[in-house]
Amino acid sequence: MPQSPRPKQQVLVSEEYRALVRQLPCARCGHAGATQFCHADLGKGAGYKTDDRRGWAGCGPHDGTMGCHYLVGSSGHYPKERRRLLEAIYARWTREQILQAGLWPSALPPWDEQSE
């Protein structure tokens, strides 16, 4: 049976949130100064990104390394289920940092921590 196209899920995008995430140290290794906004893998596909609130702070290339963004997201180092678990942990830590600093964007609804 042919599959019908999957309807594009509405995801929340917040440039303000992404900018805040890039100010944090890496959620995996703690390196500061090379942080990138990392999209979570869960729910991602060709032409699909995930909700920004699932994103996490990951370091990009620095000090001769490819960084944690590459290691977790693209290197193939972690099997899919492990990568998704790590991304959920790092995303929760990222959200907590922004909330604790009192910087959560007013236009961005809070993430339901129970939904993970």
Side-chain angles (χ1 to χ4, degrees), residues 17-101:
Y17 185 75
R18 290 179 185 188
L20 290 167
V21 170
R22 289 190 294 268
Q23 299 303 309
L24 296 172
C26 177
R28 181 179 178 275
C29 74
H31 181 80
T35 304
Q36 299 174 340
F37 179 85
C38 306
H39 284 95
D41 182 56
L42 183 63
K44 194 165 72 170
Y48 295 95
K49 291 289 185 184
T50 57
D51 192 300
D52 280 354
R53 297 168 298 173
R54 285 187 183 266
W56 55 281
C59 62
H62 66 89
D63 304 324
T65 72
M66 293 296 291
C68 295
H69 187 179
Y70 170 77
L71 179 67
V72 174
S74 304
S75 70
H77 180 77
Y78 295 107
K80 179 173 61 173
E81 290 307 315
R82 177 71 176 157
R83 183 175 70 242
R84 288 180 174 177
L85 173 64
L86 290 173
E87 289 176 334
I89 291 167
Y90 301 151
R92 179 179 286 233
W93 178 89
T94 298
R95 291 188 299 271
E96 287 173 356
Q97 299 309 300
I98 293 171
L99 283 166
Q100 288 174 4

